[in-house]
Amino acid sequence: MPELPEVETVKNSLRQLIIGQKIASVDVYYDKMIKDIDVNEFKKDLVGEVFTDILRVGKYLLFIMDHVIMISHLRMEGKYFLKAKEEKGKHDHVIFNLTDGTTLRYNDTRKFGVIHLFKMSTIEELKKTAPLSKLGIEPFEEGFTLEYLKNKFKKSSRPIKTVLLDQSIISGLGNIYADEVCFMSGLNPLEKAKDLEIEDLEKIISSSKIVLEKAISLGGTTIRSFTSSHEINGRFQNELLVHTKKECPKCHTKIEKIFVGKRGTYYCPLCQR
DNA sequence: CGCATTCCCTGGGTGC
DNA sequence: TGCACCCAGGGAATGC
């Protein structure tokens, strides 16, 4: 399940592989995946385009080309493969045939991922358009301040875990890292956002940065979800403190697993109030 | 506006 | 071995 660090890792490897590559043609095998544009137009608009840069905004990948920008969200199991021209794999949904004879494939077992295509020139312009326009601040951005969180949290009666997952408030945290941030901040994931103290918000700010930075430096987290294969092998799973853990690394209390807003949530009942 | 709920998908796991 | 059913989960759509 790619969250910010995993998408960052994918971005970095794709950069090495496809910048400068030119698209000869595109095959789409699952039309519903293509958003904001007719599928035939999507295919047509990409022919002859060259990948000039790849960026990440929140959990979105941005493929910058000469005349278009393609935005891809991997959701649960989306992956990109660069491989020789060969038969379509079972879960390959979009195949970009490159002019050097190789192919870039978007593969997604559960078909949850989506791809947008925009005829826009600048990132600034694109950030004003959905889906990017809905995103809140990333933990690494300058605007991620105490003041910002205070404003966003003060009126919310939702559980802190749910609010951490809300991309319109903080963009980049997913289920794994939201659990880690709650643990590192010593917060019960069920506590209401508006009930947090200033010190709690400060802890959220610092632990979000720490956990994401560390995860990025280790290439993300690979949790071997039963349905996926060929995952990018991150090493952060060895550093997880609560998510999927049985015992608290601090006090050795048994880690509880509950559901917060339908999301599996791990926490230490002693260290997290 | 905030928030809860439903839906999209697949295939591994479980129970009979 | 086969089959029905459950479940995970990010974000959009829907409804209150």
Side-chain angles (χ1 to χ4, degrees), chain A residues 137-150:
Chain A
I137 293 186
E138 285 186 28
F140 299 131
E141 289 182 304
E142 272 188 28
F144 190 57
T145 60
L146 186 58
E147 208 52 36
Y148 176 77
L149 278 197
K150 227 198 292 180

Side-chain angles (χ1 to χ4, degrees), chain A residues 35-192:
Chain A
K35 300 291 177 186
D36 297 320
I37 186 167
D38 171 80
V39 177
N40 288 317
E41 208 172 328
F42 174 83
K43 294 185 209 170
K44 188 164 58 92
D45 288 353
L46 285 169
V47 173
E49 289 293 317
V50 174
F51 293 101
T52 57
D53 201 2
I54 302 174
L55 306 174
R56 178 195 57 72
V57 176
K59 303 181 197 169
Y60 291 89
L61 279 173
L62 275 58
F63 295 81
I64 317 295
M65 295 172 238
D66 301 328
H67 310 96
V68 293
I69 297 178
M70 185 172 83
I71 300 187
S72 171
H73 196 301
L74 306 174
R75 295 284 177 89
M76 306 305 301
E77 314 216 19
K79 302 164 199 73
Y80 279 95
F81 298 130
L82 187 70
K83 47 166 85 171
K85 210 175 210 110
E86 56 182 54
E87 216 170 298
K88 169 185 140 13
K90 187 176 181 190
H91 301 296
D92 291 343
H93 304 304
V94 182
I95 298 184
F96 304 86
N97 300 294
L98 306 175
T99 53
D100 72 349
T102 61
T103 60
L104 175 71
R105 290 148 188 258
Y106 178 70
N107 178 287
D108 189 343
T109 313
R110 288 188 190 162
K111 297 181 175 171
F112 262 30
V114 290
I115 295 177
H116 307 252
L117 188 72
F118 296 99
K119 293 170 205 166
M120 288 186 186
S121 48
T122 66
I123 313 292
E124 288 64 41
E125 203 179 339
L126 200 57
K127 282 188 175 175
K128 294 177 195 158
T129 315
L132 301 190
S133 60
K134 295 175 186 165
L135 294 178
I137 293 186
E138 285 186 28
F140 299 131
E141 289 182 304
E142 272 188 28
F144 190 57
T145 60
L146 186 58
E147 208 52 36
Y148 176 77
L149 278 197
K150 227 198 292 180
N151 272 322
K152 292 285 184 185
F153 283 20
K154 70 182 176 196
K155 45 191 186 289
S156 180
S157 55
R158 288 188 294 167
I160 178 62
K161 162 85 184 262
T162 304
V163 172
L164 290 176
L165 287 174
D166 186 336
Q167 302 299 300
S168 72
I169 296 176
I170 304 173
S171 72
L173 294 179
N175 204 37
I176 297 170
Y177 298 112
D179 278 0
E180 296 297 303
V181 169
C182 286
F183 179 79
M184 290 170 77
S185 307
L187 294 169
N188 186 307
L190 284 169
E191 183 159 9
K192 289 177 182 177

Side-chain angles (χ1 to χ4, degrees), chain A residues 15 41 52 91 130 161 203 206 219 228 250-251 265 270:
Chain A
R15 267 193 164 161
E41 208 172 328
T52 57
H91 301 296
K161 162 85 184 262
K203 280 182 193 156
S206 59
S228 44
K250 279 189 199 158
C251 72
T265 300
L270 208 67

